[in-house]
Amino acid sequence: TETRTGNASAASSEKKDEKPAAGFMRKKKEVQVPSPRILQSCVSYGCKSIFEKKVRVVLKRLSLWLEKDMKCADKISVEWLPLALFDSHSRFVLLFRDQICLDVGIEGDALRVTQTSGQGEFRAVGFGSDVELECFLKMELRRALANEY
């Protein structure tokens, strides 16, 4: 009787160690509910509005900095693209003399600056804050003023 019991317990332990075939396992499906598109649009529009307001303040500060601190009579020219009020993006062009031409796009909380020069050079830079943009613009304006002399 011991051999039967021993064999029976060995057989049951083999069944415990067996793993079911992978194709027959039941898996619990994770249900992901996508966020509503209108909610994403509202958040994107809100981010863009706040960021655009900060960029406008930076441009005013930059103009005063150029006039008072750098003692430059030339002014920067900013032309905003007229878009619908509730667009989730904004665009403007910044010009300074014939040396700086920047195409700036704001989408949500991201800002992308595309710069072209008369020599056919092209460069695109992304920013995540108004402070980064201000530092970049001051650096470019200093470079343009240094190249003048």
Side-chain angles (χ1 to χ4, degrees), residues 9 20 27 32 35 48 58 61 67 75 89 95-96 104 119 122 130 137:
S9 63
K27 291 183 181 179
Q32 293 181 352
S35 60
K48 187 264 318 186
V58 163
R61 235 184 0 241
E67 182 182 334
K75 301 208 181 276
H89 63 281
L95 301 168
F96 181 71
V104 182
Q119 294 84 20
F122 169 85
D130 55 319
L137 292 175

Side-chain angles (χ1 to χ4, degrees), residues 6-19:
N7 289 342
S9 63
S12 65
S13 67
E14 286 177 15
K15 287 184 181 179
K16 287 180 186 176
D17 293 338
E18 280 184 22
K19 293 183 180 176

Side-chain angles (χ1 to χ4, degrees), residues 14-119:
E14 286 177 15
K15 287 184 181 179
K16 287 180 186 176
D17 293 338
E18 280 184 22
K19 293 183 180 176
F24 298 110
M25 288 179 60
R26 289 189 179 183
K27 291 183 181 179
K28 197 173 195 179
K29 290 185 180 179
E30 292 183 26
V31 178
Q32 293 181 352
V33 179
S35 60
R37 184 77 179 130
I38 189 150
L39 180 61
Q40 292 173 347
S41 297
C42 289
V43 169
S44 180
Y45 172 72
C47 290
K48 187 264 318 186
S49 298
I50 292 169
F51 201 27
E52 182 180 324
K53 186 175 181 180
K54 289 179 180 181
V55 167
R56 288 179 185 267
V57 169
V58 163
L59 294 173
K60 285 180 186 176
R61 235 184 0 241
L62 195 66
S63 181
L64 291 172
W65 170 81
L66 195 60
E67 182 182 334
K68 293 184 179 181
D69 294 349
M70 300 305 287
K71 309 280 190 255
C72 181
D74 296 331
K75 301 208 181 276
I76 57 174
S77 174
V78 177
E79 186 72 32
W80 287 86
L81 184 66
L83 296 172
L85 178 64
F86 294 108
D87 273 342
S88 64
H89 63 281
S90 294
R91 295 194 75 80
F92 68 92
V93 175
L94 184 141
L95 301 168
F96 181 71
R97 298 180 178 167
D98 289 335
Q99 297 171 322
I100 297 177
C101 176
L102 302 174
D103 179 32
V104 182
I106 302 171
E107 188 152 345
D109 60 349
L111 186 134
R112 184 166 176 87
V113 177
T114 306
Q115 183 177 15
T116 57
S117 69
Q119 294 84 20

